[in-house]
Amino acid sequence: MATEAHEEGTGLVFHPLDQFIVKPLFGEGPIHWYTITNATLWMALSVVAIIALFVLGSRGRAIVPTRTQSIGELIYGFTYKMVEDVAGKDAIKFFPYVLTLFMFVLFSNYLGLLPMSFATTSHIAVTAVLAMAVFLTVTIVGFVKNGTKFLGLFWVSSAPLALRPILAVIELISYFVRPVSHSIRLGGNIMAGHAVMKVFAGFAAVAVISPVSVGAISAIYGLEMLVAGVQAYVFTILTCVYLKDALHPGH
Amino acid sequence: MASGTTTVEHAADAATHGAEASGAGMPQLDFATFPNQIFWLLVTLVVIYFVLSRIAIPRISAVLAERAGTITNDIAAAEELKHKAQAAEAAYEKALVDARAEASRIVAEAKAEIQAELDIKLQKADAAISAKTAESEKAIAEIRAGAVKSVTAVAKDAAKEIVSALGGKADAKAVTAAVSARMKG
């Protein structure tokens, strides 16, 4: 589609996916694993933002918090309560881990919405690593904590005996699909939103429909603000749900 | 999609340079960039994890605990002050009730005193009035007796004169008896 528009030579050029290209930050050349790329830059910026919020924001350790400190405290309390409510009291030791994931996804999503920025969470490589990390943690913790009883997760003891093997197969498949859905949900949402905005931005070059286009970009931008938060929340709460399965298998 | 050759060319471009891929194929599926992204992602996550778990979380939980402690203390202090205020109010109420009782006692006493005085005066006045009444009644009775006597005398005289005028000889005794009988009737 993009190439077609290019060849028509009308000046209407769509490159909705160009924004996702990983390129070296300094100079040209092949991308090695250590090359500093735009992905590196925006991940580093999310780290900087997290440090600014949690470390600089709370440096006063004030009893009556400043605005930044109270935002940090709100996020802390929100995540803490989510881990406690969803995964149980004994999941609190995973709280730093869950908070790390939540903060990285949340900040990457929102930083990705800045114009000219690079959305790291739109890449399946990133979300797959995050999801696989959760999947491996849950599986390892499940077996270490419960031993073979963790397999009870797949053996639905409340169902009739005849149905149990069938359910076990379904449960097993759904268990291994988890990291896939977990990662593609996040990456796909962020990618689709950014691509749609770029497509509308391409239409803005045509004077007649440019007001509609600009209006649509504004509307979709608003929607994407929501999606960025909701997807970060969904990613985190699913992490908590999976952790609950690891700590308390069985239905 | 456009002609196959351009797509292949672009894909090759994307694979070698990564930077020049222009719309042909998703940059997300450019596996050449995967090691780079995964490496930097792991670095990022480790840094965030250490920043959060070593600095942010202990600090914020300490602040929250301290705040909870302060709030609990403040609430306890407020509770104590409230109790004090309640005690003070109770004391005030008691004083007020006492004062009211004292006041009503004084009023009752004064009333009783006045009543006693009043009773004595009333008795005296009654006595004086009844004395005067008795005196007056005596005077009236005297006057009435005097009047009856005079009327009897006049009636006798008149009866004698009338009898003599009619040419009879007036028997003084009979006239007196007749007059007395008439007066009684």
Side-chain angles (χ1 to χ4, degrees):
Chain A
M1 176 186 79
T3 335
E4 273 166 8
H6 209 31
E7 282 164 0
E8 275 169 31
T10 53
L12 198 61
V13 187
F14 291 110
H15 293 301
L17 298 179
D18 279 11
Q19 58 178 324
F20 302 123
I21 295 170
V22 178
K23 47 185 169 254
L25 209 54
F26 307 107
E28 293 287 317
I31 294 167
H32 301 290
W33 60 269
Y34 52 82
T35 311
I36 294 176
T37 58
N38 49 355
T40 317
L41 170 69
W42 288 95
M43 285 177 189
L45 285 176
S46 71
V47 173
V48 169
I50 289 167
I51 290 175
L53 175 60
F54 281 103
V55 178
L56 300 184
S58 66
R59 71 183 181 282
R61 292 182 172 80
I63 292 291
V64 179
T66 58
R67 268 175 289 187
T68 322
Q69 190 187 328
S70 68
I71 292 170
E73 284 171 9
L74 272 178
I75 293 175
Y76 174 98
F78 176 77
T79 317
Y80 193 92
K81 203 167 163 356
M82 178 158 63
V83 174
E84 201 178 28
D85 289 353
V86 177
K89 277 231 184 294
D90 46 350
I92 286 303
K93 57 179 174 298
F94 295 102
F95 169 63
Y97 179 66
V98 175
L99 190 64
T100 303
L101 291 178
F102 185 37
M103 285 302 97
F104 174 72
V105 175
L106 190 75
F107 276 86
S108 298
N109 285 357
Y110 278 114
L111 286 172
L113 279 175
L114 292 174
M116 311 301 291
S117 72
F118 175 84
T120 48
T121 41
S122 68
H123 273 266
I124 196 72
V126 170
T127 58
V129 168
L130 294 173
M132 280 311 292
V134 171
F135 179 77
L136 290 177
T137 310
V138 166
T139 310
I140 292 168
V141 168
F143 276 113
V144 167
K145 279 246 167 196
N146 307 292
T148 50
K149 265 194 254 160
F150 183 58
L151 294 172
L153 190 63
F154 308 112
W155 197 249
V156 187
S157 49
S158 56
L161 194 60
L163 277 178
R164 283 183 208 173
I166 305 166
L167 285 175
V169 172
I170 295 171
E171 290 282 338
L172 203 64
I173 292 169
S174 87
Y175 187 80
F176 282 101
V177 165
R178 275 178 184 182
V180 179
S181 65
H182 204 186
S183 58
I184 289 179
R185 182 182 301 111
L186 175 60
N189 265 292
I190 302 302
M191 195 202 98
H194 285 68
V196 166
M197 268 196 281
K198 266 279 145 68
V199 169
F200 275 104
F203 279 118
V206 182
V208 183
I209 50 171
S210 66
V212 179
S213 167
V214 169
I217 292 172
S218 310
I220 291 171
Y221 194 87
L223 184 69
E224 284 307 301
M225 294 290 285
L226 192 70
V227 167
V230 167
Q231 285 305 321
Y233 175 69
V234 165
F235 191 92
T236 317
I237 204 156
L238 280 175
T239 304
C240 292
V241 169
Y242 298 161
L243 268 176
K244 195 203 93 188
D245 281 347
L247 297 168
H248 315 282
H251 294 263
Chain B
M1 274 295 152
S3 61
T5 48
T6 25
T7 318
V8 168
E9 231 170 76
H10 276 299
D13 258 14
T16 47
H17 303 298
E20 265 79 53
S22 56
M26 285 165 61
Q28 275 84 352
L29 298 179
D30 181 3
F31 294 104
T33 66
F34 272 33
N36 178 270
Q37 291 192 59
I38 291 168
F39 168 68
W40 286 114
L41 172 66
L42 293 178
V43 170
T44 305
L45 289 180
V46 167
V47 171
I48 294 174
Y49 183 81
F50 275 98
V51 166
L52 289 179
S53 65
R54 293 275 176 274
I55 304 171
I57 290 174
R59 188 185 286 177
I60 290 176
S61 60
V63 167
L64 290 179
E66 200 181 333
R67 183 176 309 148
T70 311
I71 289 171
T72 313
N73 285 346
D74 285 1
I75 286 174
E79 197 70 25
E80 199 178 311
L81 288 175
K82 197 177 154 196
H83 279 305
K84 270 186 192 166
Q86 273 169 350
E89 201 192 333
Y92 164 78
E93 289 287 346
K94 195 176 169 299
L96 202 64
V97 167
D98 285 355
R100 279 221 181 96
E102 180 74 13
S104 58
R105 194 182 58 75
I106 289 169
V107 166
E109 241 169 51
K111 240 186 205 165
E113 237 168 68
I114 290 165
Q115 191 63 48
E117 225 168 89
L118 195 65
D119 284 351
I120 291 168
K121 289 224 164 134
L122 272 175
Q123 258 171 7
K124 272 186 186 164
D126 278 350
I129 288 166
S130 53
K132 281 248 163 128
T133 311
E135 230 169 73
S136 308
E137 269 172 4
K138 214 172 126 194
I140 289 166
E142 262 168 32
I143 290 166
R144 190 178 277 159
V148 168
K149 220 182 258 173
S150 314
V151 167
T152 313
V154 168
K156 277 174 190 170
D157 285 350
K160 266 179 212 167
E161 290 298 323
I162 290 164
V163 169
S164 49
L166 289 174
K169 194 140 176 327
D171 183 2
K173 258 191 184 169
V175 171
T176 310
V179 170
S180 300
R182 280 280 174 184
M183 292 283 283
K184 268 172 199 160

